[in-house]
């Protein structure tokens, strides 16, 4: 079944460029340059994902994003001209599933759209696994974005989530600070490898007494997850 992507972008050239690439990749495409019309289209059936420019002339992109969230689970990939970290975080708080910063490569946008749709389908069918570590002491639920340690939920920021899930993707493998900054920067990127240390510190604090043994420091290299994944 073909997925339908709604492209919300007031710049005609970008809109048409995205339409061309998405259609070539086999998607059905609806386009609009108006936030108000986007809200209307989201209310109707048949939109599987919205590509949303935050800077729209009529309704603010934030409003459209909020509507998409309120009207059910339509995944949203935000297009933003602003590269500011706050902008990314702001959008993630409102529930965007991914970000593309302008100027972008249309091929990259198509790839991101595919990845987000795949993730959304996995969530809908319950296919996204709950990963378990240390004989069930740590559980990471990717679909629900939840971390549970010794039975108690741990509230983590998007950056801490990115750090933990990266380390947990291959337990025992050492990740350098540079690697971690690069992998986590979809959420937040301050540009200094040193900032990773303070995020790790906060994450360990939230993980209580087990923090340091769970997120291990490898002197002179970086960090690794100290527990192995349960079979
Ligand atoms: Ca715009």
């Amino acid at each position: 079944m073909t997925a339908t992507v709604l492209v919300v972008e007031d710049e005609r050239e970008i809109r048409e460029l995205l339409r061309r690439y998405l259609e070539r990749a086999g998607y059905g495409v609806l386009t609009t340059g108006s936030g108000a019309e986007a809200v209307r289209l989201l209310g109707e059936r048949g939109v599987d994902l919205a590509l949303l420019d935050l800077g729209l002339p009529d309704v603010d992109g934030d409003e459209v994003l909020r509507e998409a969230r309120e009207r059910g689970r339509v995944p949203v990939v935000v297009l933003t001209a602003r590269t500011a970290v706050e902008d990314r975080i702001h959008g993630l708080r409102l529930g965007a599933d991914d970000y593309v910063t302008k100027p972008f490569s249309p091929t990259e946008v198509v790839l991101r759209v595919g990845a987000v749709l795949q993730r959304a389908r996995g969530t809908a069918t319950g296919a996204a696994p709950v990963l378990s570590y240390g004989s069930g002491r740590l559980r990471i639920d990717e679909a629900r974005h939840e971390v549970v340690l010794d039975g108690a939920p741990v509230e983590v920021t998007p950056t801490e989530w990115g750090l933990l899930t990266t380390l947990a993707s291959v337990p025992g493998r050492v990740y350098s600070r540079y690697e971690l900054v690069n992998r986590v920067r979809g959420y937040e990127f301050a540009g200094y490898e040193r900032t990773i240390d303070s995020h790790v510190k906060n994450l360990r604090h939230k993980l209580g007494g087990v923090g340091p043994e769970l997120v291990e420091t490898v002197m002179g290299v970086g960090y690794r997850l100290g527990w192995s994944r349960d079979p």
Side-chain angles (χ1 to χ4, degrees):
M1 208 181 72
T2 317
T4 300
V5 178
L6 171 64
V7 178
V8 189
E9 166 62 78
D10 58 307
E11 285 171 65
R12 204 180 62 82
E13 276 182 27
I14 298 179
R15 200 164 65 219
E16 291 311 314
L17 181 75
L18 288 171
R19 176 203 287 279
R20 253 196 334 273
Y21 272 77
L22 288 164
E23 283 180 346
R24 208 179 293 162
Y27 294 107
V29 181
L30 297 169
T31 63
T32 176
S34 142
E37 202 191 343
V39 169
R40 188 178 64 74
L41 289 167
L42 282 167
E44 295 170 4
R45 281 161 183 264
V47 174
D48 296 297
L49 180 143
L51 258 178
L52 173 65
D53 175 30
L54 282 185
L56 296 168
D58 55 347
V59 178
D60 197 345
D62 289 354
E63 282 294 318
V64 182
L65 188 50
R66 233 171 257 129
E67 285 288 333
R69 289 285 76 98
E70 279 169 17
R71 285 171 189 269
R73 193 60 207 140
V74 177
V76 178
V77 176
V78 160
L79 303 170
T80 173
R82 295 166 289 184
T83 55
V85 166
E86 305 83 63
D87 213 40
R88 292 170 179 244
I89 292 170
H90 178 61
L92 283 164
R93 284 215 180 99
L94 290 175
D97 295 83
D98 203 355
Y99 268 84
V100 181
T101 306
K102 293 178 185 175
F104 52 73
S105 113
T107 307
E108 190 199 346
V109 175
V110 171
L111 288 175
R112 299 259 191 128
V113 164
V116 168
L117 278 171
Q118 201 173 23
R119 213 158 68 206
R121 285 198 184 114
T123 308
T125 58
V130 177
L131 301 172
S132 171
Y133 303 83
S135 306
R137 292 188 67 189
L138 173 71
R139 290 158 53 81
I140 299 175
D141 186 333
E142 299 234 344
R144 294 173 166 209
H145 232 261
E146 274 176 3
V147 177
V148 176
L149 179 70
D150 291 333
V154 180
E155 292 281 332
V156 293
T157 65
T159 303
E160 290 157 7
W161 169 265
L163 268 177
L164 186 61
T165 52
T166 298
L167 294 172
S169 61
V170 186
R173 178 191 183 291
V174 182
Y175 290 86
S176 69
R177 288 175 179 78
Y178 176 78
E179 244 180 315
L180 289 170
V181 165
N182 273 292
R183 297 213 184 195
V184 176
R185 76 174 171 181
Y187 295 107
E188 181 185 312
F189 181 54
Y192 297 100
E193 292 170 33
R194 197 68 62 80
T195 63
I196 284 291
D197 293 344
S198 58
H199 289 300
V200 166
K201 192 173 154 210
N202 294 339
L203 179 59
R204 281 175 172 162
H205 180 71
K206 291 182 179 179
L207 295 168
V210 300
E213 61 167 271
L214 185 54
V215 181
E216 288 181 349
T217 302
V218 181
M219 288 294 278
V221 189
Y223 297 97
R224 75 175 165 215
L225 197 80
W227 292 357
S228 52
R229 185 179 294 167
D230 300 330

